[in-house]
C-alpha cells in the first residue's frame, strides 16, 4: 500500500514531466530569417508570393484616368467569387431600385479552367449592368495581386469613387440608398479599413496560451517585424485615390509584407500563416506616405493624414472575438467536438507546442478557427442587431438561409432582409461604429470548457501511469474516479451543449 501511495503521489508530476518532454527543448528556437525556416513554409510562401507579384508587375505602370467631375460619383462593387454568388436574389433586391448611374458592379470568378481565361459563362446581376472581369490569377490567401488587377480595370471608369470589396458569401445589411449616402455623400475621399488587434506576444503559441479558447484569433503579428505592415480584414472599402495608390505601390508594399510574413509566428514554421490581401492594400498607402516624406512618425496619425477611417463595414464572426457580447455565436462545446473528431496524434502535438503542418493535416479547419458560417438559419433578433450597428455587409451566409422568427416560424432571408433595410432607413442605425471586429469590452480569457478538457486529458494520463507503475488496486481508485467524473462532464457537454441552429 505504501508503494502504491508513493506511485499515486508522483503520477501527476510524471504526467507533467511527460508533457514537458513532449514539448521538446527546441520549441522556442528561432525560426525567423536569422534561423531555420522550414522548407514547407518557404515553398508555401514562395508559391503565394509569385502569384501576387506576377499580377502586380503587370498592372503597376498601367494608366489610371483621373476622376470625373461632371457626372455623379458611383460606388463600385467588386464581388470575388469562386463559382457562384451565393445570395443572388438578395443582391437583386438591393440593386432593384438603385439609380443606374450611382453604382458599378464587377464580378471576378476564380474557377481554374479554360473558360476562366477568356469569358466566364456565369454572369450574375447582368440585368443591373454587372461586368464579368477577365480571369486574373489568384488563390486562397494570395489575392492581393488579383485585387490590384481588378481595381486597375475598375479605375478605368472615372465615375467610380468608392470601391467595396465583397466575397461571394456576403449579404447587404443596409439598403443601397443608405450605403451610397454614407460612402459617397458623407465620405467620398476616405477609405474604410478594419484592423486586427496587435498580438501581445511574438509567437502564436504564446498568444493562444494567453487567449485560451476565448481569445480573439484574428491578430496582427506583422507590425512587430515591419511597422508599416498591419494585419487587417480583406473586405475593405477604398477611395479612388487609395485604389490607384494600391495599384501603383502594390508591388513595393508586397515586398515589405513578404519580409514581415516570413518572420511572423516563428513557432509555426509550417503553418503558412498570412494572407497578402489582409496586409498589402493598407501597407501601400503608408509606403506611399513615407516615400513622399509626409509621415508624422506615428502609424495611427498617418492613417488619419492619409484619409483612412478605422471602420469595420463588413461583419464576420471570428472565433473568440465576440465573447460577452450579444453578437457572440461561439459554442465552445461544438468547437471542442470538431477538434476531437481530428487525429489525437495531431492534438497532442499541438498541445505539446510542436511545429506542425497546420495546412495539410486534419486539424486545419477546426484549429484554424474559420469564421462562423450561417448555413441554415439566423434569429430575427440577431439579424436586427447586425443591421442596427454600423455594418453595411455581413459574410459567410450560405444560400437558402432561413430567418427564425419569435413565434418559431421561419421565413426566407431573401424576403426578410428588404424589410430590415426599410426599418433601418426609417429609424436609422444606433450609430455604433466598430473599429475592430471584437467585443470592445472583451472579458479576460477564461474557459471552463477548456479546463474540463485539460482535466480529462490529465485524468487519462494519470490513469495510464497508475496502471503501468502501480500494482495495488486501491492506489488506482483516485485517478480512475477522476477520469470517470471528467468523462461524464465531457460527454454531457458534447452531447447536450454543442447544439447550434446552423
Amino acid at each position: 500500500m505504501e508503494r502504491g501511495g508513493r506511485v499515486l503521489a508522483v503520477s501527476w508530476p510524471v504526467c507533467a514531466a511527460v508533457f514537458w518532454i513532449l514539448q521538446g527543448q527546441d520549441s522556442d528556437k528561432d525560426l525567423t530569417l536569422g534561423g531555420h525556416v522550414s522548407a514547407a513554409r518557404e515553398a508555401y510562401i514562395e508559391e503565394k508570393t509569385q502569384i501576387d507579384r506576377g499580377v502586380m508587375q503587370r498592372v503597376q505602370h498601367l494608366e489610371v484616368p483621373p476622376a470625373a467631375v461632371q457626372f455623379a460619383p458611383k460606388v463600385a462593387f467588386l464581388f470575388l467569387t469562386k463559382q457562384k454568388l451565393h445570395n443572388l436574389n438578395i443582391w437583386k433586391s438591393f440593386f432593384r431600385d438603385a439609380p443606374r448611374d450611382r453604382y458599378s458592379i464587377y464580378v471576378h470568378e476564380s474557377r481554374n479552367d479554360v473558360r476562366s481565361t477568356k469569358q466566364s459563362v456565369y454572369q450574375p446581376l447582368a440585368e443591373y449592368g454587372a461586368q464579368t472581369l477577365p480571369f486574373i490569377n489568384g488563390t486562397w490567401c494570395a489575392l492581393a495581386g488579383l485585387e490590384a488587377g481588378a481595381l486597375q480595370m475598375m479605375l478605368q471608369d472615372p465615375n467610380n469613387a468608392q470601391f467595396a470589396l465583397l466575397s461571394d458569401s456576403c449579404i447587404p445589411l443596409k439598403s443601397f440608398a443608405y450605403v451610397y449616402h454614407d460612402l459617397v455623400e458623407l465620405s467620398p475621399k476616405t477609405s474604410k479599413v478594419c484592423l486586427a488587434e496587435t498580438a501581445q506576444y511574438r509567437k502564436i503559441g504564446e498568444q493562444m496560451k494567453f487567449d485560451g479558447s476565448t481569445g480573439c484569433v484574428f491578430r496582427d503579428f506583422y507590425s512587430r517585424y515591419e511597422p508599416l505592415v498591419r494585419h487587417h480584414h480583406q473586405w475593405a472599402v477604398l477611395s479612388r485615390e487609395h485604389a490607384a495608390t494600391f495599384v501603383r505601390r502594390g508591388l513595393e508594399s508586397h515586398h515589405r509584407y513578404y519580409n514581415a510574413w516570413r518572420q511572423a509566428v516563428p513557432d509555426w514554421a509550417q503553418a503558412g500563416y498570412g494572407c497578402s490581401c489582409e496586409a498589402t492594400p493598407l501597407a501601400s498607402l503608408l509606403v506611399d506616405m513615407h516615400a513622399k516624406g509626409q509621415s508624422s512618425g506615428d502609424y495611427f496619425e498617418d492613417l488619419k493624414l492619409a484619409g483612412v477611417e478605422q471602420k469595420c463595414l463588413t461583419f464576420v464572426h471570428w472565433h473568440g472575438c465576440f465573447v460577452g457580447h450579444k453578437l457572440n455565436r461561439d459554442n465552445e462545446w461544438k468547437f471542442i467536438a470538431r477538434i476531437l473528431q481530428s487525429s489525437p496524434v495531431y492534438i497532442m502535438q499541438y498541445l505539446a507546442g510542436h511545429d506542425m503542418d497546420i495546412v495539410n493535416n486534419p486539424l486545419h479547419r477546426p484549429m484554424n478557427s474559420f469564421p462562423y458560417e450561417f448555413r441554415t438559419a439566423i434569429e430575427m433578433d440577431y439579424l436586427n442587431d447586425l443591421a442596427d450597428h454600423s455594418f453595411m455587409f455581413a459574410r459567410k451566409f450560405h444560400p437558402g438561409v432561413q430567418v427564425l422568427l419569435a413565434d418559431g416560424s421561419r421565413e426566407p432571408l431573401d424576403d426578410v432582409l428588404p424589410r430590415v433595410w426599410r426599418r433601418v432607413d426609417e429609424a436609422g442605425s444606433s450609430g455604433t461604429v466598430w473599429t475592430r471586429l471584437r467585443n470592445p469590452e472583451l472579458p479576460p480569457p477564461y474557459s471552463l470548457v477548456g479546463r474540463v478538457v485539460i482535466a480529462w486529458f490529465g485524468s487519462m494520463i494519470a490513469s495510464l501511469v497508475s496502471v503501468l507503475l502501480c500494482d495495488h488496486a486501491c492506489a488506482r481508485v483516485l485517478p480512475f474516479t477522476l477520469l470517470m467524473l471528467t468523462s461524464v462532464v465531457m460527454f454531457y457537454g458534447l452531447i447536450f451543449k454543442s447544439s447550434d441552429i446552423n
Side-chain angles (χ1 to χ4, degrees):
M1 180 69 181
E2 182 179 357
R3 179 190 171 195
R6 288 198 301 269
V7 172
L8 180 61
V10 301
S11 62
W12 284 101
V14 168
C15 294
V18 170
F19 185 78
W20 181 82
I21 293 172
L22 281 172
Q23 285 185 316
Q25 297 181 359
D26 63 345
S27 61
D28 290 329
K29 68 183 178 181
D30 184 17
L31 297 175
T32 63
L33 286 174
H36 169 71
V37 179
S38 71
R41 186 179 185 186
E42 283 283 6
Y44 177 88
I45 290 176
E46 291 302 323
E47 175 192 2
K48 304 290 186 181
T49 297
Q50 292 307 313
I51 292 173
D52 279 328
R53 289 180 176 174
V55 179
M56 290 175 170
Q57 287 172 346
R58 292 196 302 269
V59 303
Q60 64 176 336
H61 299 301
L62 296 180
E63 182 181 357
V64 173
V69 293
Q70 68 270 33
F71 298 105
K74 298 190 289 188
V75 178
F77 297 86
L78 172 60
F79 292 95
L80 298 180
T81 70
K82 294 179 180 178
Q83 290 189 348
K84 298 290 183 181
L85 189 57
H86 291 343
N87 300 285
L88 184 58
N89 289 333
I90 292 175
W91 285 105
K92 287 182 178 180
S93 298
F94 178 80
F95 289 112
R96 184 167 294 131
D97 298 323
R100 292 294 293 268
D101 63 343
R102 297 295 191 270
Y103 66 85
S104 300
I105 306 172
Y106 302 86
V107 181
H108 182 272
E109 184 182 354
S110 62
R111 291 187 303 177
N112 293 320
D113 58 30
V114 177
R115 288 173 298 181
S116 298
T117 62
K118 297 179 181 179
Q119 178 64 41
S120 171
V121 297
Y122 175 61
Q123 295 179 303
L125 302 173
E127 63 268 43
Y128 299 102
Q131 303 178 47
T132 302
L133 296 177
F135 176 75
I136 306 171
N137 194 21
T139 186
W140 182 69
C141 274
L143 295 174
L146 190 159
E147 289 179 357
L151 287 170
Q152 195 278 330
M153 287 185 275
M154 296 164 68
L155 284 163
Q156 300 308 305
D157 185 339
N159 298 311
N160 288 337
Q162 290 273 290
F163 298 76
L165 305 179
L166 302 169
S167 73
D168 52 10
S169 68
C170 274
I171 63 169
L173 294 173
K174 304 289 196 297
S175 69
F176 175 85
Y178 185 105
V179 171
Y180 186 86
H181 175 71
D182 193 285
L183 297 183
V184 174
E185 296 176 353
L186 296 183
S187 56
K189 301 296 184 181
T190 65
S191 293
K192 294 81 179 172
V193 181
C194 184
L195 274 73
E197 288 285 345
T198 302
Q200 291 94 329
Y201 296 93
R202 174 173 170 266
K203 298 182 178 182
I204 198 169
E206 296 170 334
Q207 186 66 43
M208 295 186 75
K209 288 176 184 177
F210 170 77
D211 285 341
S213 64
T214 59
C216 185
V217 301
F218 198 83
R219 298 280 187 172
D220 166 40
F221 288 90
Y222 300 129
S223 56
R224 185 180 296 272
Y225 305 97
E226 171 52 70
L228 298 187
V229 178
R230 304 284 174 122
H231 199 158
H232 61 79
H233 287 263
Q234 173 188 4
W235 312 104
V237 175
L238 300 179
S239 69
R240 183 177 183 85
E241 179 185 355
H242 290 164
T245 300
F246 175 38
V247 172
R248 188 177 72 256
R249 294 280 190 184
L251 189 62
E252 182 180 351
S253 61
H254 191 279
H255 180 69
R256 287 179 178 261
Y257 159 75
Y258 169 81
N259 289 332
W261 184 17
R262 293 188 72 243
Q263 300 176 79
V265 291
D267 52 334
W268 265 12
Q270 298 185 53
Y273 165 86
C275 294
S276 59
C277 49
E278 295 177 340
T280 309
L282 186 58
S284 66
L285 309 184
L286 277 298
V287 167
D288 188 64
M289 284 194 70
H290 279 254
K292 295 177 179 178
Q294 298 173 347
S295 172
S296 68
D298 179 84
Y299 181 86
F300 294 105
E301 183 62 27
D302 283 352
L303 290 183
K304 295 179 183 178
L305 294 174
V308 177
E309 297 184 55
Q310 295 184 57
K311 201 171 184 180
C312 303
L313 296 185
T314 298
F315 172 83
V316 63
H317 191 302
W318 285 97
H319 182 76
C321 297
F322 292 90
V323 173
H325 195 275
K326 62 182 179 180
L327 294 179
N328 183 48
R329 306 289 297 189
D330 285 328
N331 183 318
E332 289 189 66
W333 285 111
K334 186 175 182 179
F335 181 67
I336 295 298
R338 292 203 310 266
I339 293 174
L340 292 177
Q341 292 173 3
S342 305
S343 170
V345 174
Y346 286 112
I347 295 173
M348 294 306 297
Q349 288 180 348
Y350 171 76
L351 292 175
H354 276 263
D355 178 40
M356 62 180 183
D357 186 356
I358 194 68
V359 175
N360 298 307
N361 71 58
L363 281 177
H364 177 220
R365 187 166 188 85
M367 287 308 301
N368 220 26
S369 299
F370 280 64
Y372 182 89
E373 297 183 11
F374 297 89
R375 295 179 175 272
T376 60
I378 182 174
E379 302 89 342
M380 186 71 216
D381 288 344
Y382 192 92
L383 182 62
N384 281 327
D385 285 338
L386 283 180
D388 285 338
H389 288 277
S390 59
F391 306 119
M392 292 184 182
F393 315 102
R395 291 188 63 217
K396 295 298 179 180
F397 279 79
H398 287 240
V401 169
Q402 300 280 311
V403 178
L404 182 61
L405 305 180
D407 61 2
S409 62
R410 299 192 178 205
E411 290 187 38
L413 181 63
D414 301 15
D415 298 334
V416 175
L417 257 183
R419 301 202 299 266
V420 174
W421 301 336
R422 288 192 293 271
R423 181 187 62 78
V424 173
D425 285 344
E426 294 171 0
S429 66
S430 64
T432 304
V433 176
W434 292 73
T435 60
R436 303 286 188 275
L437 275 181
R438 64 177 292 274
N439 182 0
E441 299 178 355
L442 187 68
Y446 175 79
S447 171
L448 179 60
V449 175
R451 294 171 191 269
V452 170
V453 173
I454 292 173
W456 186 49
F457 274 110
S459 300
M460 286 193 292
I461 296 175
S463 299
L464 178 62
V465 171
S466 66
V467 168
L468 295 176
L469 301 182
C470 179
D471 58 359
H472 201 293
C474 294
R476 302 174 184 173
V477 172
L478 180 58
F480 275 106
T481 301
L482 185 58
L483 178 59
M484 292 294 293
L485 290 175
T486 54
S487 296
V488 169
V489 175
M490 275 286 296
F491 289 112
Y492 173 81
L494 292 173
I495 294 172
F496 298 104
K497 298 293 185 180
S498 62
S499 60
D500 191 317
I501 63 172
N502 287 292

